[in-house]
Amino acid sequence: MTSSAELTASPAVPLSMWHKFALAFALLGLADVLFYDQAPGLSLPIFTAALAVTSLLANHAGVDRSRTKLAAVVLVVGLLPAIEDLTLLSVSSAVLATISAIALTTNPAAEGLRLPVTAARQLLLVGPFRLIPDAIATLRAHDFTRLLLTWSIPLALGLVFSLLFAAANPVIEQWLDQLRPQRIVSNLSVGRPIFWLLMLSLIWPFVHLRWRQRTKAPRLPIDPEAEQAPSIAAPLLNPQTVIRSLLLFNLLFAVQTALDGAYLWGHAALPDGMTYATYAHRGAYPLIVTALLAAAFVIIAVRSRQQDEPRLIRPLVYLWVGQNLLLVLSSIQRVHIYIQSYLLTHWRIAALIWMALVAVGLILIVVRIVLDRPTAWLVRMNLIALAATLYGCALVNFSAVIGDYNVAHSREAGRSGTAIDMPYLLSLGPQALPAVQRAMLLLRGESALSRMNQSLLEQQAKDMANWRSWTFRGWRLQRYLDTHPLTQNPS
């Protein structure tokens, strides 16, 4: 039989890191109640006393019970000035008394007048920087945490995709708005999380004491769960995580695809106050960002074919890439609807070209997976597609295309677009002169167009007068002007 004396003499079992973090967060909650947005007073001695008691409880395995009475006296004497009144001296007295009492009971080497200085250096200067490394080491040591990590990417990216869809689709925005997240956000100022982080960094070294000794004095027991931990990155993109991500993402994208099918292609009734042009312009760019994030995830998560790869991954990837292609087509349709209402600009043409490149990139991702090509091949093919596109764009007279389209589809031409934007037409330069000519035929006697025409003609003549500024495009324009005298004689 084990005697009571033997039980009393048995070594104390140290608390696990999880228990210490629980105590640290409990102290953080107390600090939030006592200090945040509150004038300090009695709250300081209450908190420092709670901090000292919690520190001893969390590190009871290394407490020297023969010094506890002396530590209690030091703590009470040091807190009395802070109870009397809060001044710089009384705050300093409370802080020094707290760290000295903790060091007396838990640090075998703590003695003499250097005790508060050494304790302050280790707890207040060095200690706060241990929070993040200790948190990572604790996370790495638990199977349950690694299980949570396998859901971190699906849930985090799922939230990002949901927010992007809400920015692109007013229906999804209304669904999310019913959750009223602004009620939570309104109560959470920017300064509060910063306060929490700073306070937790200050609290943690007191809860998880780790004294650095110059001699070979025994140290406090260290939680073995934090030792020899496996890699934290290993479970982040394992096959189970990828499958969960693809299942969740396909579901989210299916909702967006169905809504786009109803509104963009089926012309269903939009929410009150929302026009098709506004709906189209609002959603085009967030959806392209969504497609780019999806492509990046596929590139990172789906590497070269492996023997142990689950069969479900590839079909889910193909389905998701297909949904992303539909997403890009919806974005192109959105820009097309917007152009029909508000006509062309350089940026809108650039957006259409960019969306086409994104679609090509998604197709190349599928080809890469099917042919089992390396990532370098995918990069080369995308660079080739980009170079070919830029080369082709260099040969296209976009200013003339924009000018002709805007005049031909304007309200003055009897189409559904807006009125001719004369300042923008002028900004296109001399290449817009053919469009200006057509506009002058539609609006005879318009003085603004006559002045615009004259200004562009003068600029064109100046460009053609100097051989150094000669271009083949400018020469072709000049031939057009020479054969269409209406441009020079509008009346």
Side-chain angles (χ1 to χ4, degrees), residues 90 140 148 155 183 204 209 271:
S90 64
R140 291 168 58 186
L148 293 179
L155 294 178
R183 294 179 180 176
W204 178 245
L209 290 173

Side-chain angles (χ1 to χ4, degrees), residues 99 116 136 146 177 196 222 263 288 330 339 349 355 384 401 433 450 460 481:
I99 60 177
I136 293 176
R146 290 196 294 273
D177 187 61
W196 290 343
I222 299 177
Y263 289 123
I288 287 299
S330 295
I339 288 172
I349 290 180
M355 292 172 188
I384 291 172
V401 171
L433 277 168
S450 299
Q460 169 67 11
L481 296 176

Side-chain angles (χ1 to χ4, degrees), residues 423-445:
Y424 186 75
L425 205 60
L426 178 63
S427 70
L428 297 175
Q431 294 299 325
L433 277 168
V436 172
Q437 172 187 349
R438 296 181 179 87
M440 293 168 68
L441 292 174
L442 295 172
L443 300 172
R444 292 185 179 273

Side-chain angles (χ1 to χ4, degrees), residues 124-156:
L124 302 180
L125 298 181
V126 180
F129 296 99
R130 295 188 354 234
L131 172 65
I132 294 178
D134 287 347
I136 293 176
T138 304
L139 290 174
R140 291 168 58 186
H142 290 267
D143 293 335
F144 177 70
T145 305
R146 290 196 294 273
L147 177 63
L148 293 179
L149 288 174
T150 61
W151 279 102
S152 61
I153 286 194
L155 294 178

Side-chain angles (χ1 to χ4, degrees), residues 187-200:
N187 294 326
L188 185 62
S189 63
V190 176
R192 201 161 200 154
I194 298 176
F195 169 79
W196 290 343
L197 179 60
L198 292 177
M199 286 303 303
L200 191 60

Side-chain angles (χ1 to χ4, degrees), residues 321-340:
V321 173
Q323 291 205 72
N324 276 276
L325 284 172
L326 291 176
L327 207 66
V328 174
L329 291 178
S330 295
S331 299
I332 293 174
Q333 175 67 0
R334 289 167 182 266
V335 176
H336 177 251
I337 292 174
Y338 195 74
I339 288 172
Q340 285 181 326

Side-chain angles (χ1 to χ4, degrees), residues 277-350:
T278 305
Y279 175 82
H281 182 258
R282 173 179 170 177
Y285 303 108
L287 293 183
I288 287 299
V289 174
T290 304
L292 290 173
L293 286 176
F297 175 81
V298 172
I299 293 172
I300 296 173
V302 184
R303 303 183 183 277
S304 58
R305 190 179 296 275
Q306 301 175 0
Q307 294 181 353
D308 59 345
E309 181 185 272
R311 294 182 179 180
L312 190 59
I313 286 183
R314 304 266 164 160
L316 287 174
V317 167
Y318 299 148
L319 176 61
W320 194 35
V321 173
Q323 291 205 72
N324 276 276
L325 284 172
L326 291 176
L327 207 66
V328 174
L329 291 178
S330 295
S331 299
I332 293 174
Q333 175 67 0
R334 289 167 182 266
V335 176
H336 177 251
I337 292 174
Y338 195 74
I339 288 172
Q340 285 181 326
S341 300
Y342 298 102
L343 306 181
L344 265 181
T345 64
H346 278 101
W347 281 112
R348 289 163 198 164
I349 290 180

